[in-house]
Amino acid sequence: MLIVGAGLAGLRAAIAASDAGADVALLSKVHPVRSHTCCAQGGINGALGDEDSWEAHMFDTVKGSDYLGDQDAIEVMTREAPRDLIALEHMGCPFSRNDDGTIAQRPFGGAGFPRTAYAADISGFVILHTLYEQCLKRGIKVYEEWFLTQLVVNDERAAGVVAIDIRDGRLHELGARAVIFATGPTSRVYEGSSNSVDCTGDGTAIAYRAGLPLMDLEFVQFHPTGLRNGVLVTEGCRGEGAILVNADGERFMARYAPNKMELASRDVVSRAEAEELAAGRGVDGFILLDLRPIGPEKIRTRLLQVRELSMDIAGVDPCDEPIPVRPTPHYFMGGIKVDVDGRSPRLANFFAAGECSCVSVHGANRLGGISLLDGLLFGRRAGE
């Protein structure tokens, strides 16, 4: 089996397939731990709390999708989420903890309970390293810094790929009995984006050129809190108590989402910010994210990377003053059409998982903390 992409979905698929007895190789245009997953800050969703349930998780996800998500697929994801988080913990992922030793969870937008497990504000980073370590332990072959150019199709079956070894520029064909695309995001089609510069939608385009259907590409999420260069300030800030204010110092979300306030779903918050900016209530084209209600101690321990990025990029210490932010292209809900096992309906032996795929669990809007769950859970199912 050949897996193209060595981020969260690709690594988890490789582990699952290897554990099931497959001979697995990974192909990635960057070193695995430089995959875009390492940029995820806030955390990963799963109903672990005593008062929470997969049914509540499912309802919040369906509602957050603007009722356009595939509800059968959402049920699969929310039912299985706790076991995937516990499996990740058993692999050694260093989640932040409550005082009693259980996995800590913070509130995120659109969620009825604190449901987002996290590791400070470097959640994707530690999850990625945990999974890569497990791949090394299993001796899984990695073709590092290879660039995908074509999906090979023989007799209506996926038979491998054509790729360039970036280091010497040579073109190679790699045969495989099954191919999984886990090639990641597409948002670098926008000039400004939260995505890494290598997230250019290669896998999605190559699948399309091979005749595979794409789905839900009209649904693009703008994250509410991007810095001037597109780097994100995690939703975890608002989960910890940060507020959004306009140039008048008004906490304006009270007019747009009086019940959820800053923890409304991302599409609602981004639209509210856009309306404030259009009405001239921005500060030099930005809205202000005020972390000071959280307190300096929590900022320095739970949001250490946010503070560092804010100081480096915006020149602002969030312990002392608000951070200028604005809506930023972030996530394509759509991608290569697959079922809950990552299987393409059009091509035998071809699968996709993670951000390049579309199981349609996000509908028109993805909730925070779901993208890591999507990659982890459906990567595992595709690998199996």
Side-chain angles (χ1 to χ4, degrees):
M1 173 183 289
L2 179 65
I3 300 168
V4 184
L8 169 60
L11 294 180
R12 188 64 185 92
I15 292 166
S18 178
D19 288 351
D23 182 13
V24 182
L26 284 155
L27 185 146
S28 176
K29 66 178 175 182
V30 297
H31 187 280
V33 297
R34 293 188 65 201
S35 300
H36 186 59
T37 302
C38 72
C39 297
Q41 298 171 326
I44 180 169
N45 290 356
L48 299 177
D50 292 337
E51 297 181 1
D52 202 357
S53 66
W54 73 262
E55 292 94 340
H57 188 185
M58 178 178 175
F59 173 76
D60 290 342
T61 306
V62 171
K63 183 180 178 183
S65 77
D66 295 333
Y67 291 92
L68 290 173
D70 183 317
Q71 295 188 22
D72 293 330
I74 293 170
E75 178 177 346
V76 168
M77 180 179 70
T78 53
R79 271 183 180 270
E80 297 183 5
R83 67 167 271 199
D84 279 276
L85 265 63
I86 297 302
L88 192 58
E89 179 192 33
H90 290 179
M91 291 178 192
C93 184
F95 286 117
S96 294
R97 300 282 170 171
N98 297 314
D99 291 339
D100 62 0
T102 54
I103 295 173
Q105 293 182 282
R106 57 174 41 134
F108 253 44
F113 295 90
R115 187 179 290 135
T116 305
Y118 63 94
D121 59 352
I122 54 170
S123 305
F125 179 87
V126 301
I127 292 171
L128 190 65
H129 278 253
T130 299
L131 295 178
Y132 182 55
E133 179 185 77
Q134 292 295 314
C135 287
L136 293 177
K137 177 181 176 181
R138 288 162 174 77
I140 293 170
K141 168 71 175 175
V142 180
Y143 292 91
E144 180 187 321
E145 296 188 347
W146 284 54
F147 190 91
L148 177 71
T149 64
Q150 185 180 342
L151 174 66
V152 176
V153 179
N154 289 333
D155 299 324
E156 299 184 357
R157 305 175 76 87
V161 302
V162 177
I164 297 171
D165 183 344
I166 296 172
R167 290 167 294 184
D168 62 18
R170 293 183 179 180
L171 202 62
H172 300 264
E173 184 177 80
L174 292 85
R177 293 184 178 180
V179 176
I180 299 178
F181 272 19
T183 52
T186 305
S187 288
R188 270 291 160 183
V189 300
Y190 287 89
E191 182 178 6
S193 169
S194 68
N195 288 181
S196 300
V197 293
D198 60 316
C199 297
T200 48
D202 311 334
T204 307
I206 287 166
Y208 178 70
R209 287 199 291 267
L212 300 180
L214 308 181
M215 182 177 180
D216 290 355
L217 291 183
E218 69 274 30
F219 299 133
V220 181
Q221 181 175 90
F222 282 66
H223 194 288
T225 53
L227 296 170
R228 59 179 169 78
N229 65 345
V231 171
L232 289 191
V233 174
T234 175
E235 192 167 318
C237 295
R238 287 171 281 139
E240 297 287 351
I243 62 173
L244 290 164
V245 297
N246 58 24
D248 301 326
E250 177 196 9
R251 192 176 175 186
F252 59 87
M253 285 306 301
R255 287 190 281 110
Y256 299 94
N259 294 324
K260 289 289 189 179
M261 298 292 283
E262 286 82 6
L263 290 179
S265 58
R266 288 176 176 176
D267 56 337
V268 173
V269 180
S270 289
R271 283 197 296 270
E273 291 181 354
E275 289 195 32
E276 291 296 301
L277 292 170
R281 292 190 288 270
V283 179
D284 296 326
F286 293 88
I287 292 298
L288 299 178
L289 178 67
D290 193 349
L291 273 65
R292 289 175 295 181
I294 301 172
E297 182 179 350
K298 281 189 178 180
I299 292 173
R300 292 189 177 105
T301 55
R302 296 188 185 183
L303 300 166
L304 66 164
Q305 187 184 67
V306 165
R307 181 170 183 249
E308 180 182 324
L309 290 171
S310 176
M311 293 168 71
D312 288 348
I313 297 168
V316 168
D317 185 341
C319 293
D320 300 327
E321 56 183 308
I323 307 169
V325 296
R326 62 188 173 195
T328 301
H330 179 52
Y331 191 94
F332 272 66
M333 269 63 75
I336 304 165
K337 179 179 172 61
V338 293
D339 65 15
V340 292
D341 293 318
R343 195 184 306 272
S344 169
R346 190 71 59 84
L347 184 64
N349 293 5
F350 178 82
F351 302 78
E355 285 201 47
C356 73
S357 71
C358 182
V359 190
S360 202
V361 290
H362 306 305
N365 173 68
R366 173 178 74 76
L367 295 182
I370 289 284
S371 66
L372 290 180
L373 177 61
D374 179 351
L376 183 75
L377 191 147
F378 292 113
R380 187 257 305 163
R381 289 180 68 96
E384 289 174 344

